[in-house]
DNA sequence: CTGAAAGCGCTTACAG
DNA sequence: CTGAAAGCGCTTACAG
């Protein structure tokens, strides 16, 4: 049988309350008593039953999530994932508060971070805009002892406890390799479409993509990055202009959101001139574009995984527990028309 | 505050014991009492605290896993994942028993299934050999009321409760699409290397692969499937023979295990004649081959996910709870040299 | 610095 | 068919 606190208590010759004090490193125990309990713990190989402890504590974790009020499918998916997490709130002993913040707005995000911290939640997760304002606010949160996790897009420097998102450099490299090989030796221009170079995930994808294209695919020539603000209408205009301005675009990498606009623009490009297209995030739009052959591949991050990972990490940090890095790694999904879920 | 059994009891005007009986659909409650309790439950929106219930029950789930004693990296990974699951056994209230069975041996597997069932575990998971013997044994297990899950490779027909593994047809199609596009318009032969057509995962990958190659890539010509028994030495011999017999192999799909042998054989093929290669399962061998450029892509299934999913499903079935299909879907990872974890 | 007792939300004999 | 009481493994006031 697994040993319990009772076994520890009787073996160490102390009361349950004292065992609990030692186990939870609470003060007010003599060194000698502490030693006796520690000895019993290691001799019996005691492992605390976390579920029972939580039941007794009646502990809940108020968690705050700051999400850009950007209306794209990915952010909607993130909200959905948060709602689903909220439904399991009882079992998980969490209470999720969702705060909307304007997209790509460093000042607003910094303010929102400080406001969230003022409420003293058990942890905060936020989609970072990578700017000094935000870094300063994040540093305040961390030094106030509130666990802080970046979600989807990271913050440069070390002003947070954990990043729950994909390796965006790897995503950019993967996109480049696939795109380069799909082009299959033809020569021409490659268009790159981002949301904003202000967010680190887009910047990292972009740089890694460009670096692999430049080094591995001599026949391909990169056009300057277009910033579509993740807005379908802006994206549509930008892409249309690109195809008017260049007759030799053989491939396009859409590393941000707003793909509805991209699809509309591409549909107006004569079939024989359509480029190889790789985009991010599996949504209704990108799924349809894969199926119709308009897109060739879609890289995806699972919003549900990211949210669940952020929650696990915040809870662990709140309890001072270690996180299992390997388990929290968010993988890059690659979808072709052939492996759509 | 979340309502508890106490709230239900007082609202319905009955005792805790009766509430428990109704909640767990145990017999010996009058229809009228049952109704009162059900009413209180729905009025208060009561949701049972599973952790507390498990604590009270002291319930543990003895689970039996039948794993082929095949010595390849994937099966080793599966064992490792089972060991890790075993370490969380206390928290999860499971006790995992691992049984070795000879690989690709239907009769031995059928016997092992019956033996495992005789011990009345809370559930059984097994890597299926798709044969009538096995199906018959599986049907017996299921009709004995023991939850049964196939792992990695499925059983034809409905003689199990759940399949914890990837969509192998999708994997085969994906391999074909990638491989066809990577070949990039060249013409030639495509070699296919399987473990055994006796296991359904290999057969499904193979058929789906062949079908996409045939329909989408007119310049590619499929060679007959070679069966390497997932054994590196057999694989090495088969592949060497293939390259002696054919001078125009432009691509190779290795859909089983034994890739150490494949690597050895490919290294002897002159660099300029080396084919596009897509293999399965990320191991030390396939990772190295990706990095060195010998392989072009590796499709992977995460053994850890499969094991954890199988455990969740077996526990749910044991408790008569529904499983969330979407959450249990095992995804196909696609690795290039650019996105290795 | 230490302990006895009650309680977290559920389940289980046992008695009636 | 129904209920009172004890218990799962831990934590928390409270008293000393």
């Amino acid at each position: 049988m697994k040993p319990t606190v009772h076994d520890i208590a009787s073996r160490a010759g102390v009361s349950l309350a004292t065992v609990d004090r030692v186990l939870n490193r609470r003060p007010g125990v003599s060194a000698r008593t502490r030693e006796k309990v520690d000895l019993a713990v290691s001799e019996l190989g005691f492992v605390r039953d976390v579920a029972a402890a939580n039941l007794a504590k009646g502990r809940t974790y108020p968690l705050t999530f700051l999400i850009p009020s950007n209306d794209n499918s990915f952010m909607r998916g993130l909200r959905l994932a948060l709602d689903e997490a909220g439904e399991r709130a009882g079992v998980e002993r969490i209470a999720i508060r969702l705060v909307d913040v304007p997209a790509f707005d460093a000042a607003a995000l910094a303010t929102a971070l400080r406001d969230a911290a003022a409420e003293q939640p058990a942890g905060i997760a936020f989609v970072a805009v990578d700017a000094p304002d935000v870094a300063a606010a994040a540093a305040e949160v961390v030094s106030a002892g509130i666990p802080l996790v970046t979600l989807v897009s990271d913050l440069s420097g070390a002003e947070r406890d954990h990043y729950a998102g994909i390796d965006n450099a790897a995503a950019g490299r993967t996109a480049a390799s696939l795109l380069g090989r799909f082009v299959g030796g033809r020569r021409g221009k490659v268009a790159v479409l981002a949301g904003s170079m202000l967010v680190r995930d887009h910047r990292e994808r972009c740089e890694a993509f460009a670096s692999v294209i430049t080094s591995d695919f001599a026949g391909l020539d990169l056009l300057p990055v277009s910033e579509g603000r993740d807005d379908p209408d802006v994206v549509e205009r930008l892409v249309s202009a690109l195809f008017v301005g260049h007759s030799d675009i053989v491939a396009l990498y859409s590393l941000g959101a707003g793909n509805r606009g991209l699809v509309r623009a591409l549909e107006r490009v004569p079939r024989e001139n359509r480029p190889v297209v790789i985009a991010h995030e599996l949504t209704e739009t990108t799924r349809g574009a894969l199926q119709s052959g308009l897109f060739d591949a879609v890289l995806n991050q699972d919003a549900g995984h990211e949210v669940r990972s952020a929650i696990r990490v915040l809870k662990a940090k709140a309890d001072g527990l270690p996180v299992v890095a390997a388990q929290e790694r968010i993988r890059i999904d690659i979808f072709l028309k052939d492996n759509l879920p």
Side-chain angles (χ1 to χ4, degrees), chain A:
Chain A
M1 263 339 260
K2 269 201 333 159
T4 73
V5 278
H6 290 97
D7 302 317
I8 304 298
S10 63
R11 174 116 183 178
V14 299
S15 74
L16 286 180
T18 296
V19 170
D20 190 68
R21 288 186 187 100
V22 176
L23 250 29
N24 292 291
R25 328 219 149 283
R26 274 191 277 272
V29 183
S30 75
R32 222 179 105 32
T33 307
R34 191 174 292 280
E35 274 165 31
K36 281 193 299 184
V37 173
D38 282 336
L39 186 67
V41 165
S42 65
E43 282 178 348
L44 297 181
F46 171 80
V47 181
R48 182 152 138 274
D49 182 331
V50 184
N54 281 336
L55 175 60
K57 281 199 282 227
R59 153 138 216 191
T60 61
Y61 305 76
L63 303 179
T64 304
F65 278 72
L66 309 182
I67 306 291
S69 56
N70 205 337
D71 182 41
N72 64 55
S73 301
F74 179 72
M75 289 303 165
R76 272 201 300 282
L78 206 59
R79 283 157 199 278
L80 212 67
L82 278 165
D83 289 345
E84 279 169 18
E87 284 168 24
R88 295 186 315 272
V91 193
E92 305 259 0
R93 306 188 161 269
I94 55 177
I96 293 179
R97 203 166 97 69
L98 198 158
V99 176
D100 289 304
V101 294
F104 306 129
D105 184 336
L109 179 55
T111 306
L113 264 175
R114 290 194 179 92
D115 291 349
E119 292 175 343
Q120 303 267 29
I124 300 177
F126 71 114
V127 180
V129 174
D130 195 14
D133 279 19
V134 178
E140 284 175 35
V141 174
V142 169
S143 63
I146 299 176
L148 187 64
V149 165
T150 48
L151 193 66
V152 178
S153 191
D154 201 6
L155 196 57
S156 298
E159 308 87 351
R160 43 71 177 165
D161 291 294
H162 181 82
Y163 162 58
I166 59 170
D167 177 340
N168 285 295
R173 287 196 303 270
T174 303
S177 269
L178 283 177
L179 181 145
R181 300 201 64 167
F182 283 4
V183 166
R186 282 175 292 148
R187 312 183 68 85
K189 299 258 186 324
V190 176
V192 179
L193 201 64
S196 162
M197 287 296 113
L198 263 183
V199 286
R200 187 162 153 192
D201 54 346
H202 289 197
R203 225 171 44 232
E204 285 181 342
R205 287 174 197 171
C206 191
E207 284 162 12
F209 178 82
S211 135
V212 169
I213 292 290
T214 308
S215 69
D216 290 9
F217 301 99
L220 298 181
D221 195 17
L222 284 167
L223 291 172
V225 179
S226 308
E227 288 183 70
R229 312 276 307 166
D230 287 356
D231 180 321
D233 296 331
V234 179
V235 167
E236 182 174 6
R237 255 176 282 134
L238 285 173
V239 174
S240 297
L242 278 173
F243 278 87
V244 168
H246 304 272
S247 59
D248 57 344
I249 296 178
V250 293
L252 186 152
Y253 177 35
S254 167
L255 59 82
N259 286 314
R260 262 175 304 157
L262 172 58
V263 165
R264 288 197 296 260
L266 285 174
E267 278 169 344
R268 288 198 303 269
V269 174
R271 207 165 279 276
E272 62 280 13
N273 293 341
R274 288 193 187 152
V276 168
V277 176
I278 296 189
H280 273 261
E281 313 316 348
L282 189 65
T283 64
E284 246 178 80
T285 302
T286 58
R287 172 191 291 274
L290 272 180
Q291 282 166 333
S292 72
L294 209 54
F295 286 8
D296 298 88
V298 168
L299 307 192
N300 183 67
Q301 54 189 320
D302 191 306
H305 286 193
E306 294 179 325
V307 165
R308 287 190 289 271
S309 174
I311 291 172
R312 265 197 306 273
V313 170
L314 286 175
K315 284 174 74 174
K317 296 282 179 192
D319 289 338
L321 264 37
V323 309
V324 186
Q327 204 199 317
E328 303 307 340
R329 210 175 48 77
I330 308 293
R331 297 179 305 174
I332 303 167
D333 295 324
I334 304 175
F335 292 113
L336 311 181
K337 69 175 188 312
D338 310 283
N339 64 334
L340 286 171

